[in-house]
Amino acid sequence: MTETLPPAETFFRVPGRRLAVSSKQTGSDTTLFFVHGLGGNRQQWRLQWDRFSKEPINLVAWDALGHGESARSKHEQVFASRFSVQDLAAVLAAFPSRKRIIVAHSFGCRITLEWISGLLAAGEDISVDGLILLGPASLAPSLKGPMFGNWMDRLPFWIASFARPALQARFEKLAWAPDVDPEILKTERQATKRNSLFMINAVRSGAAPVNTKILRRFDKPVHILAGQNDGIVPLAEVRKVHDFLPASTLDILPDCGHQIMLEQPDVVNQYIEKELQRLSSSSGEAP
């Protein structure tokens, strides 16, 4: 697998919950935080990291529990989304910054919005200046249920474990645009070998309901990008997320699937650049 990000630092939010975190600290007052989705890893942000590591800003990305180089667990309850929200808050606290942008993908978007809705409900300050959400996962009350949209969804868990190659092929068909670069696909296959079906199911089962009504109070800029060929998150669900966030914009990218940061890195980087310029201009600094 392509290792673009710096070697991981060990980060413990609580004993036993070991997360692998990569960071680049420049002394800047601006930090980009990258939150990957279910089944992903921090290296999926390599094309963004490569671009913005050349700039005088801070970068932070981490592997969620059970992903990448972070710790594994055989206990279903530790994958509940409320603990992932606490991980997000702990990483933000560990890397203080005056200006912050969160760039999140798929389930990472849901975790980010669950964190924001919780702060809004508690009347607490939300220490982020803008969001860029890529293929945001549905904010439906539960994510239990069909995943592949065919007979594979009816397989008992123990049989599904033996049918992993077929499940992988089906996921790739749903997640990627037809003309995806074979090298990117090869890299992602290698990177996801350690993802267990147990962990995937536990994360989906542990997704807590998100208070979508209170999200309407969130007034920071949000840019939502969706792939026209995304077979993982229907566009109808992405549009619902857009409707829940009054200060959001939505752009649908043609010839793009679910893995937007890898399929359309230049577009994603352009949105990040715009957000950085906005923050720089608002503080009176030169872009």
Side-chain angles (χ1 to χ4, degrees):
M1 187 173 91
T2 303
E3 299 285 344
T4 298
L5 277 64
E9 309 163 23
T10 298
F11 178 86
F12 287 97
R13 178 173 62 79
V14 294
R17 197 171 178 93
R18 176 179 56 80
L19 303 180
V21 180
S22 288
S23 72
K24 173 181 175 288
Q25 301 300 306
T26 66
S28 170
D29 66 352
T30 302
T31 304
L32 291 175
F33 292 88
F34 297 98
V35 189
H36 71 73
L38 175 57
N41 60 84
R42 72 188 194 284
Q43 293 291 342
Q44 288 183 318
W45 300 108
R46 57 189 177 272
L47 301 177
Q48 285 68 50
W49 197 282
D50 182 63
R51 163 66 184 85
F52 292 100
S53 63
K54 300 177 176 67
E55 301 294 333
I57 57 174
N58 309 317
L59 307 176
V60 179
W62 66 99
D63 293 330
L65 189 73
H67 297 70
E69 297 179 68
S70 289
R72 265 57 183 163
S73 178
K74 295 182 179 179
H75 301 286
E76 182 177 6
Q77 63 270 24
V78 305
F79 295 105
S81 62
R82 68 180 182 276
F83 297 129
S84 295
V85 169
Q86 292 170 15
D87 291 343
L88 169 62
V91 171
L92 290 171
F95 295 92
S97 185
R98 190 167 66 87
K99 293 180 284 189
R100 292 166 160 171
I101 298 170
I102 293 179
V103 188
H105 176 238
S106 194
F107 191 77
C109 301
R110 182 175 173 126
I111 292 298
T112 301
L113 294 176
E114 184 178 337
W115 168 68
I116 288 172
S117 68
L119 292 176
L120 287 170
E124 298 181 16
D125 180 55
I126 301 173
S127 55
V128 66
D129 297 280
L131 305 178
I132 298 174
L133 306 180
L134 313 179
S138 169
L139 297 184
S142 172
L143 292 184
K144 296 179 182 179
M147 185 173 181
F148 295 100
N150 64 10
W151 56 271
M152 295 180 182
D153 290 316
R154 298 190 293 274
L155 291 176
F157 180 77
W158 67 273
I159 294 180
S161 298
F162 289 103
R164 181 163 184 141
L167 298 177
Q168 179 77 25
R170 176 60 177 168
F171 174 81
E172 289 177 0
K173 185 175 181 180
L174 293 171
W176 299 91
D179 60 349
V180 62
D181 184 341
E183 284 303 312
I184 291 179
L185 197 54
K186 179 180 177 181
T187 298
E188 289 307 298
R189 285 173 183 159
Q190 183 66 28
T192 57
K193 280 186 176 180
R194 295 183 66 199
N195 289 337
S196 70
L197 292 176
F198 168 80
M199 180 271 291
I200 298 292
N201 287 332
V203 171
R204 284 167 54 84
S205 297
V210 178
N211 187 340
T212 54
K213 290 184 178 179
I214 206 167
L215 282 179
R216 299 183 188 279
R217 299 183 192 173
F218 186 63
D219 59 359
K220 304 291 180 64
V222 181
H223 301 288
I224 302 173
L225 302 180
Q228 182 71 55
N229 302 115
D230 189 343
I232 299 295
V233 180
L235 287 177
E237 292 299 317
V238 176
R239 290 191 174 98
K240 289 179 184 178
V241 176
H242 174 44
D243 291 341
F244 293 139
L245 297 164
S248 67
T249 63
L250 170 61
D251 286 295
I252 300 172
L253 308 181
D255 303 318
C256 184
H258 186 61
Q259 310 286 22
I260 300 170
M261 64 281 208
L262 293 168
E263 296 182 64
Q264 297 286 345
D266 291 341
V267 174
V268 174
N269 291 348
Q270 287 170 10
Y271 275 86
I272 295 174
E273 288 168 359
K274 289 177 183 177
E275 272 301 283
L276 290 172
Q277 290 172 359
R278 180 184 66 82
L279 289 184
S280 177
S281 298
S282 65
S283 62
E285 302 171 6

